[in-house]
């Protein structure tokens, strides 16, 4: 398997396919590079080079007990981009991966990047605080950790079968294949990484990171996102970004890169070529 070894000895698995302008995908919690398959096939078909990695502790990367925070995630992404000597790259992050992209650009600079897209992403801050009154109570995320510790396998079925893909909405038609593919990816990763990752995606404040990013950023978020609520995420990120553009969807779920791939792919392509 193609892997790189980070400075702290962690092996990061990655996919690198095609030639041409690079598009780099950062996945959501608790998934893997496999979650980008609808985008990988689409952009390969459009002549792009496609790169996607498994975050540390996730998928085929090392199941370490350490480093499950946004700084390490960003450093690992930087290690991949440097190893592959990527230039003029477009970075696309979904959910937690959106936070990873934001922290990477703010922490490592924009020298290797040209644009970025944040899809259903966690920035600026998910948890409710005095400065972020619209966030979700910390008890919500404590509950996630409790369910991971108690019965991760059941939790990883209930999330995609319900709110992640909007399959709990009236009239929804759940795809068992999509549900089990989410479960498969989740169970490939390590419980410690996923447990700690809840804190990373919910309690990291990206406000200052967003302000530092000068390159064009497309913020894509649905008003019906049940995982990262719209009002406290997409619009706020777009306002904080010096060169941000907000694209709002109605009725799409958090996992819209999978269930609404045709629309998301077309909008990403238009942004990249624009």
């Amino acid at each position: 398997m193609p892997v790189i070894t980070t400075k702290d000895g962690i092996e990061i698995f990655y996919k690198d396919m095609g030639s041409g302008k690079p598009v780099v995908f950062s996945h959501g919690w608790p998934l893997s590079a496999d979650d980008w398959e609808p985008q990988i096939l689409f952009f390969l078909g459009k002549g792009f080079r496609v790169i996607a990695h498994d975050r540390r502790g996730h998928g085929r990367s090392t199941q370490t007990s350490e480093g499950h925070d946004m700084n390490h995630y960003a450093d690992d992404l930087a290690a991949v981009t440097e190893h592959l000597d990527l230039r003029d790259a477009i970075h696309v992050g979904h959910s937690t991966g959106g936070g990873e992209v934001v922290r990477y650009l703010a922490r490592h600079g924009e020298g290797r990047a040209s644009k970025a897209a944040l899809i259903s992403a966690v920035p600026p801050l998910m948890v409710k605080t005095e400065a972020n009154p619209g966030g979700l109570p910390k008890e919500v995320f404590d509950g996630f950790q409790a369910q991971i510790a108690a019965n991760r396998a059941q939790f990883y079925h209930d999330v995609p079968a319900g709110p992640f893909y909007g399959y709990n909405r009236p009239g929804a038609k759940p795809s068992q294949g999509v549900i089990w593919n989410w479960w498969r990816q989740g169970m490939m990763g390590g419980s410690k990484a996923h447990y700690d990752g809840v804190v990373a995606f919910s309690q990291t404040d990206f406000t200052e990171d967003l302000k530092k990013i000068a390159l064009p950023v497309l913020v894509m978020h649905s008003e019906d996102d049940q995982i990262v609520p719209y009002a406290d995420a997409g619009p706020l990120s777009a306002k904080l970004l010096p060169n941000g553009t907000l694209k709002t969807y109605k009725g799409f779920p958090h996992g819209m890169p999978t269930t609404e791939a045709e629309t998301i792919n077309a909008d990403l392509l238009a942004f990249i070529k624009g």
Side-chain angles (χ1 to χ4, degrees), residues 15 29 32 84 113 119 130 132 142 146 150 152 169 175 245 251:
K15 303 180 182 186
W29 176 98
S32 73
L84 298 176
I119 307 176
E130 287 187 9
N132 187 46
D142 293 343
R152 186 168 65 125
R169 292 303 196 208
S175 164
T245 301

Side-chain angles (χ1 to χ4, degrees), residues 11-183:
E11 288 192 340
I12 301 294
F13 167 86
Y14 65 90
K15 303 180 182 186
D16 180 12
M17 293 174 277
S19 57
K21 193 176 185 69
V23 184
V24 185
F25 293 97
S26 292
H27 65 79
W29 176 98
L31 305 171
S32 73
D34 294 352
D35 203 47
W36 289 110
E37 287 180 354
Q39 285 68 48
I40 288 171
L41 289 172
F42 176 83
F43 283 97
L44 281 175
K46 297 296 181 181
F48 290 88
R49 179 182 179 186
V50 177
I51 299 94
H53 69 288
D54 290 354
R55 188 169 298 122
R56 63 169 56 209
H58 296 61
R60 290 139 293 203
S61 293
T62 301
Q63 291 196 14
T64 176
S65 62
E66 306 297 332
H68 305 297
D69 56 75
M70 283 293 166
N71 284 347
H72 278 89
Y73 297 166
D75 292 350
D76 293 346
L77 176 56
V80 172
T81 61
E82 290 166 11
H83 174 75
L84 298 176
D85 194 26
L86 302 181
R87 306 283 178 178
D88 201 30
I90 297 98
H91 283 268
V92 181
H94 176 243
S95 196
T96 299
E100 177 179 286
V101 167
V102 167
R103 180 57 54 89
Y104 161 73
L105 293 171
R107 184 173 169 88
H108 293 275
E110 302 170 12
R112 293 180 176 273
S114 58
K115 292 182 178 181
L118 310 177
I119 307 176
S120 311
V122 297
L125 175 62
M126 283 197 72
V127 73
K128 182 177 182 179
T129 64
E130 287 187 9
N132 187 46
L136 295 170
K138 182 175 178 293
E139 290 74 19
V140 171
F141 305 108
D142 293 343
F144 288 176
Q145 289 185 310
Q147 291 180 82
I148 291 167
N151 191 342
R152 186 168 65 125
Q154 185 62 52
F155 185 49
Y156 286 4
H157 175 268
D158 295 344
V159 171
F164 196 94
Y165 294 116
Y167 290 152
N168 56 347
R169 292 303 196 208
K173 297 179 180 179
S175 164
Q176 290 302 313
V178 167
I179 293 168
W180 287 119
N181 190 45
W182 200 101
W183 183 91

